[in-house]
Amino acid sequence: MAIRDILIIPDKRLRLISEPVKAVDAALRTLVDDMFATMYEAPGIGLAAIQIGVAQRVVTMDLAKKDEPPEPLVFLNPEIVWSADDTSTYEEGCLSIPEYYEEVERPAAVKVKYLDMDFKPHELDAEGLLATCLQHEIDHINGVLFIDHISKLKRAMVMKKFTKAAKKGVSPALAKDKEPSHHIG
Ligand code: NI
């Protein structure tokens, strides 16, 4: 298991549309192990493979609270097959946009189709934080970031800040004291 570097905006790879996983092999198992190591270290509650530079439709997640035992979840080729009409708002953050948080409105519930590590298909009805996190991560594998859901002005400001930092060669450090739940992934 290795902790991998997390891509930070404006890295163009974050805009790639990831490729479907075709099989669970040793390389995929290593990728998933590395994603968990990287996600727990960050810390975050979700991670898409593209955030460590791998354009495959793989998402890891763990919504367990600090004092609870870990609940690692893996979603291969996740796809939203139904979204609720009613919405909910959550203050989201992203490991690829460190230390920036903004309220995002999304469907309050979704139905997600995915494959597990045995390549077995599942359907999951999600609401609350799980629904938010799944939508955030599925956005990632489609090259979409949570800042695409906020105002144009706010997005332009955050892009400018991170583009400036990237040019100077400084990567904004992650705030270790933040609750992982803020770093949706
Ligand atoms: Ni994210």
Side-chain angles (χ1 to χ4, degrees):
M1 258 203 277
I3 293 164
R4 312 259 285 258
D5 286 339
I6 295 176
L7 306 186
I8 306 290
I9 58 164
D11 195 306
K12 288 194 169 59
R13 286 171 288 177
L14 290 167
R15 293 307 191 175
L16 292 174
I17 295 175
S18 295
E19 294 290 332
V21 174
K22 294 203 176 71
V24 176
D25 54 15
L28 185 85
R29 287 180 196 283
T30 302
L31 171 67
V32 167
D33 284 349
D34 288 357
M35 285 173 67
F36 276 117
T38 306
M39 183 183 89
Y40 287 129
E41 165 70 15
I45 56 174
L47 192 73
I50 191 59
Q51 292 181 276
I52 56 167
V54 179
Q56 286 195 50
R57 302 180 85 81
V58 181
V59 166
T60 55
M61 211 176 278
D62 191 332
L63 305 185
K65 296 196 178 70
K66 264 184 200 164
D67 50 350
E68 292 172 352
E71 284 171 32
L73 301 170
V74 183
F75 302 92
L76 306 178
N77 303 340
E79 193 188 326
I80 293 167
V81 292
W82 173 84
S83 301
D85 290 333
D86 54 322
T87 60
S88 68
T89 302
Y90 188 86
E91 188 180 56
E92 295 189 23
C94 180
L95 295 171
S96 296
I97 315 171
E99 292 182 61
Y100 182 76
Y101 308 95
E102 197 61 63
E103 290 199 332
V104 177
E105 191 182 5
R106 300 182 184 269
V110 287
K111 188 190 276 290
V112 171
K113 213 169 78 177
Y114 69 97
L115 300 169
D116 65 16
M117 288 299 278
D118 295 319
F119 232 50
K120 278 192 194 138
H122 294 269
E123 267 191 359
L124 175 66
D125 288 305
E127 54 178 28
L129 183 57
L130 179 61
T132 298
C133 200
L134 278 164
Q135 291 174 81
H136 180 116
E137 302 308 335
I138 292 169
D139 270 358
H140 269 304
I141 62 176
N142 290 320
V144 175
L145 299 168
F146 87 88
I147 52 170
D148 298 339
H149 299 292
I150 65 175
S151 80
K152 238 185 191 176
L153 181 68
K154 282 179 181 166
R155 182 164 63 250
M157 279 168 66
V158 69
M159 283 306 294
K160 195 174 159 188
K161 181 184 152 200
F162 279 86
T163 303
K164 237 186 199 172
K167 272 187 189 146
K168 279 192 200 152
V170 291
S171 79
L174 284 174
K176 294 284 181 190
D177 58 334
K178 287 280 180 190
E179 275 293 307
S181 60
H182 264 114
H183 289 120
I184 290 248

